Every structure is written in structure tokens, then in C-alpha cells.
Amino acid sequence: MRTRMLSLVAVALLGGCTSEFVFTDSVNSSSLGVAPRAEFGDELSTPYVLGARFTTYIEDRDRDTNFTGWTVRVTDPRVLGLREEEPRWVDEHTLALDLEAVGAGTTDLLLLDPSGVVQGSASAEVRVPTRAQLFASAIAALEDEDFRGETPHPQLLAGGTASFVVQYLADDLRLQGSTQLEVSTTPAIDAVVQHSRAADNRDILEVTAGEPGLEALELWVGGVQLQRVEVDVVGPEKVAAIDLIHRRGESSAEAEGDWLVVAQAYDDLRVPVYGVGFGWDL
């Protein structure tokens, strides 16, 4: 216990001096693995959802430290478990540590030099989800905070397949990361869970609809039901309109590049109809 207290005191004393070493993770930034991570700030994507598996990166901002013999310790392994005992080298200035959110609570990550002195730290929290939200994947990809495509009661075209991003919450607090999501459905629909390749922050639910009718799916994590979602399967006569929604870069350079265009079908009440396949003529 005395050793633990001394370590925590060391963290407190280093609170204003750890900016040389940047802590980030793969939850929202898997694609940054080949880029200097310091330019993206010093921030872990906490609180994590229970069961999240991700990689934490520790980078020397000044790029003048030799990490040979350095280690990383989790102060409470009941919260974050090590998937590998030792950190691995991404490059000569960056260490990577694979972790799993194994229990609810808070903990610290400590960066220790070869003599065992704490040189940097970061705090993390894990929470148990109490509910989930579904967002239409294509709409969510537009990254418009005012139009995120939440679908508490999806309407699907019979015979179609639609993808939905799953967002976990503890009450109203948004949790970060993907987890071991399980799904059960009524007979006329089928659902498959996939994990995003772009970041460790996305569970994607692919739902395929059969004949028209009112169906349902249930989302489960750790044997606990988070959400029951009713799914209204409709025929093609329900499609009354199609909108093209686009996103383009804000800067002039971005605006001259690629645009993301999403086709969205609606019924006559302007309720979205998902799972509609579109043919594109460019």
C-alpha cells in the first residue's frame, strides 16, 4: 500500500509537468498510427465502455527521449487490463500499450523511466452502459452534430439491408469504444454486428429486413439487455421522396477535393426509409 501511495503522490506532483509526454488512444484515431500523434493533443477518449479493447499511445513531444527500458503501469488492473505485459515500440519516440476495459472505476496510466521514476501519467474511467442509441451509418458519416441520424424506431425497406452505428451511454453520459455487443431479433429480420476498421470506437449493426411488418431487435452487453428497438419493415410503395445530402470541406482546398454525398429515402411524412439501394449515374 505504501508503494501505491508514493506512486500516486508522484503523479500528483507531476500533474503540471507531464506535457512532454503525450497520451492518446486508438478509440477515435486509429488512422493516426503513422502520423506524429502529439499534434492531435494529449487526451484519452474516456470514459470507456465496459469491454472496450484499444491501444494507448505515449509519445515524446520533444522527440529527444530514448524509451529503452521504460515501462507503463496501470494503477488499478481491475479497471484496465493489459493485453500485453510490455509496451511495444511504434517508432523511436512512441510507445504503444494494448488495453481492455475490464471493470467499472477509475485508474491511472503511469509512464516510468528505467529507474522507476514516474515521468508522465494519464487518467482513465470505465463505466457500465445502461442504454444504447442507433444512428444511421451514412448520415453519421456526414459528421453534422445537428443532423446525426438517430433512429430510435427505424423504418426499413423489405428485402433491404441498412447499417447503424451503435452508441453506448451510461444514463446520459456518452461512452467511448466498442464492446462485445450481442443482438437478438424477431424471425423476419436478421442482424450482424461488425466493428469499424477506421477506429476502435464503432460497433456497426447491419440489419436485413424480410417481409413487411412490425419487427424488433434487442441489444445485449454482458448478459444485460440495453435496448429493445422496434423495426417497421415497409414495402417499396412507402418511398415517396429521395434527398441527396452532401458534406464538403470548409476550406477552399478541401472544397476542391472529394465530396461525400448520401442518398436518403423518405415516406410521405418525411420519415426516413433505410435499406434502400440506389443506382448512381455520375
Side-chain angles (χ1 to χ4, degrees), residues 47-268:
Y48 300 103
V49 63
L50 182 69
R53 295 165 66 94
F54 57 95
T55 301
T56 293
Y57 299 91
I58 305 169
E59 184 177 1
D60 172 22
R61 189 190 299 270
D62 295 339
R63 311 188 79 74
D64 59 4
T65 299
N66 185 338
F67 276 133
T68 301
W70 289 53
T71 58
V72 182
R73 184 164 70 87
V74 179
T75 59
D76 192 344
R78 297 169 301 177
V79 177
L80 287 181
L82 296 175
R83 291 158 57 195
E84 299 289 342
E85 287 298 322
E86 299 295 333
R88 65 181 186 277
W89 290 55
V90 176
D91 56 43
E92 59 181 324
H93 303 293
T94 309
L95 296 178
L97 189 68
D98 295 323
L99 298 166
E100 181 174 0
V102 295
T106 58
T107 188
D108 292 304
L109 300 179
L110 307 181
L111 175 66
L112 295 89
D113 65 19
S115 63
V117 176
V118 178
Q119 298 291 345
S121 67
S123 296
E125 181 181 11
V126 176
R127 292 207 181 191
V128 178
T130 59
R131 63 189 183 97
Q133 294 174 308
L134 296 183
F135 295 86
S137 295
I139 301 299
L142 294 170
E143 297 180 342
D144 184 342
E145 283 299 318
D146 297 324
F147 182 49
R148 299 181 61 201
E150 184 181 357
T151 59
H153 182 178
Q155 187 171 221
L156 264 67
L157 182 67
T161 298
S163 296
F164 302 96
V165 175
V166 183
Q167 175 64 64
Y168 303 101
L169 299 100
D171 297 325
D172 292 327
L173 179 64
R174 181 177 177 180
L175 304 181
Q176 302 294 322
S178 60
T179 188
Q180 298 303 309
L181 178 67
E182 297 179 349
V183 58
S184 60
T185 68
T186 50
I189 59 173
D190 184 49
V192 177
V193 179
Q194 296 187 348
H195 300 286
S196 170
R197 296 180 180 179
D200 290 336
N201 197 28
R202 295 287 184 271
D203 283 327
I204 299 173
L205 192 64
E206 286 194 352
V207 183
T208 300
E211 295 298 318
L214 184 61
E215 304 296 334
L217 58 86
E218 295 177 349
L219 303 178
W220 298 72
V221 172
V224 177
Q225 181 180 319
L226 293 184
Q227 207 78 21
R228 177 181 170 85
V229 180
E230 291 188 342
V231 179
D232 194 6
V233 182
V234 300
E237 70 281 355
K238 272 284 192 175
V239 177
I242 298 172
D243 283 358
L244 295 181
I245 312 165
H246 74 272
R247 182 196 71 192
R248 60 178 177 176
E250 296 180 359
S251 70
S252 58
E254 291 176 324
E256 293 174 358
D258 295 335
W259 288 19
L260 174 62
V261 180
V262 173
Q264 179 62 64
Y266 296 90
D267 65 15
D268 55 4

